[in-house]
Amino acid sequence: MNHNTPLSHSPRPLRHLSHVQRRVLTTAQLKAHGVSAAETNEQCRPGGPWQQFLPGVFLLHAGPPTSEERLHAVLMFAARSPAQPAPAIPVQPGAEAPHASQPYTDALITGLAALTLHGFTSAPPLLSLDKIDVLVPRLRRLRSTGCARIVRTPSLPAPSYITGVPVAPVPRALADAVAELSDANAVRRLLTEAVRGGHCEPAAVVRELTQARLLSRPHVVDAVDSLLAEGRSIAEDRLYRMVQEFGLPDPVWNVDLRLPGGPHLGGLDAYWPEQAVAVELDTRAPRQDEDALWSEYARKREHLERLGITVVYITPKKLRDAMDQQATVVRTALMASNDRDPAAYVVVLPR
């Protein structure tokens, strides 16, 4: 057999590999197909029809890998793969695949490659990436090699399956991408798209960046400040829309409350003076001072409620995912005002 002989005309057992849907296999999978290590080495000799792409992972063709082949090769290298070849089960693009049908254990695509799979337009095409980040448990004995860059974590997050590829959630993928980026504009574009595109809420991103200890980098802090401002602006727009779409009475927007001749009581995003009902968007970022900030929120709420003012806290995520439920909560608070004692008189000032 010469180097150009197609697999479909190869002697047993190689001829049986011509039907393999994905032309990337591990040493264990080749062995399960009846291909010995010596035969694999023979196929991968210089000028041969196969190539070793990563340790223990082989491409069953001589040309460059496709983006899909690179992803699966990296996962095969990093995952605890079964010895038997996984069944070839087609997965529709963007669909969630049953976990049992996936051949990969303890490995997720993360970083820029994951963001590309999530649909980020500000992330580069897969084939342009020199490295593909793969997330594995911290105690796995693996080293980065070739295009596979190992990223470790104490515990793997629940994956999303995109075209059959296990992918880290957007906040974790963002943190892993930002860890490798020194370009402030690139970091800003990724974080902004995460919020504008509805991929996740700012608080989730900041939580991951904090855990990754990335908030000590000035260009990351600047991008996070922009992210939080972007997130608040989007949440405010949703709050305006909720009031309009669900027929709530018009409140006064963005006000400060004070006691007559007394202290400042705090700012509110919406306030219904006649019913003494307030709405505040909970856009706290989970940074190191979260406990102190929450204590401030709690003191403010307790003070207002002692004055007879009902405070409804709404998170941006709840506004995005369950606007109707939040409208019901506010409407209930407004209707219940008739059954409460009158609130203390407060001065309402524009913020």
Side-chain angles (χ1 to χ4, degrees), residues 10 22 55 59 72 77 90 98 127 158 180 209 221 230 247 273 323 332:
S10 301
R22 187 173 295 124
L59 296 182
H72 286 282
F77 165 71
L127 283 177
E180 300 295 333
L209 294 175
V221 173
E230 182 82 20
M323 185 181 288
T332 301

Side-chain angles (χ1 to χ4, degrees), residues 228-347:
L228 295 175
E230 182 82 20
R232 168 159 275 281
S233 176
I234 291 173
E236 288 174 346
D237 287 343
R238 288 176 182 153
L239 183 59
Y240 295 146
R241 197 167 76 244
M242 182 191 79
V243 170
Q244 294 172 356
E245 292 183 2
F246 291 90
L248 297 174
D250 288 332
V252 288
W253 297 102
N254 296 316
V255 295
D256 278 321
L257 299 187
R258 292 180 182 273
L259 287 173
H264 174 249
L265 298 173
L268 299 169
D269 293 288
Y271 184 58
W272 288 263
E274 293 183 7
Q275 294 86 2
V277 172
V279 166
E280 185 161 11
L281 291 171
D282 184 358
T283 56
R284 291 173 298 126
R287 302 196 195 189
Q288 294 177 347
D289 58 353
E290 180 182 10
D291 289 342
L293 190 56
W294 175 245
S295 296
E296 181 183 335
Y297 267 69
R299 285 195 299 271
K300 174 180 172 181
R301 181 173 188 166
E302 289 172 2
H303 194 176
L304 290 174
E305 291 188 342
R306 282 200 302 270
L307 296 172
I309 296 171
T310 299
V311 183
V312 178
Y313 280 96
I314 300 179
T315 65
K317 186 176 189 301
K318 289 180 179 178
L319 264 181
R320 183 191 68 183
D321 297 341
M323 185 181 288
D324 57 338
Q325 294 179 14
Q326 304 313 302
T328 299
V329 171
V330 174
R331 180 178 285 107
T332 301
L334 293 170
M335 294 173 62
S337 66
N338 294 327
D339 300 325
R340 300 196 310 265
D341 293 333
Y345 177 75
V346 295
V347 179

Side-chain angles (χ1 to χ4, degrees), residues 25-33 35-37 40 52 55-58 83:
L25 291 177
T26 64
T27 300
Q29 290 171 333
L30 285 168
K31 183 178 179 181
H33 277 295
V35 182
S36 67
T40 298
Q52 181 170 329
V57 182
F58 301 88

Side-chain angles (χ1 to χ4, degrees), residues 36-92:
S36 67
E39 288 171 313
T40 298
N41 291 336
E42 174 65 17
Q43 295 295 307
C44 292
R45 69 189 184 280
W50 295 0
Q51 56 184 306
Q52 181 170 329
F53 185 66
L54 288 167
V57 182
F58 301 88
L59 296 182
L60 274 57
H61 61 79
T66 64
S67 58
E68 180 187 21
E69 287 172 341
R70 291 181 84 217
L71 290 170
H72 286 282
V74 167
L75 286 165
M76 288 177 177
F77 165 71
R80 300 184 191 274
S81 299
Q84 298 296 323
I89 299 177
V91 181
Q92 294 298 320

Side-chain angles (χ1 to χ4, degrees), residues 176-240:
D176 291 332
V178 168
E180 300 295 333
L181 293 173
S182 57
D183 184 336
N185 289 330
V187 171
R188 190 186 304 273
R189 284 194 298 270
L190 289 172
L191 297 189
T192 299
E193 183 173 356
V195 175
R196 284 185 184 173
H199 294 284
C200 58
E201 296 299 327
V205 177
V206 177
R207 185 179 300 109
E208 289 289 350
L209 294 175
T210 301
Q211 290 177 355
R213 299 180 180 178
L214 294 172
L215 293 182
S216 60
R217 303 181 184 183
H219 70 285
V220 177
V221 173
D222 290 344
V224 166
D225 289 341
S226 297
L227 171 77
L228 295 175
E230 182 82 20
R232 168 159 275 281
S233 176
I234 291 173
E236 288 174 346
D237 287 343
R238 288 176 182 153
L239 183 59
Y240 295 146

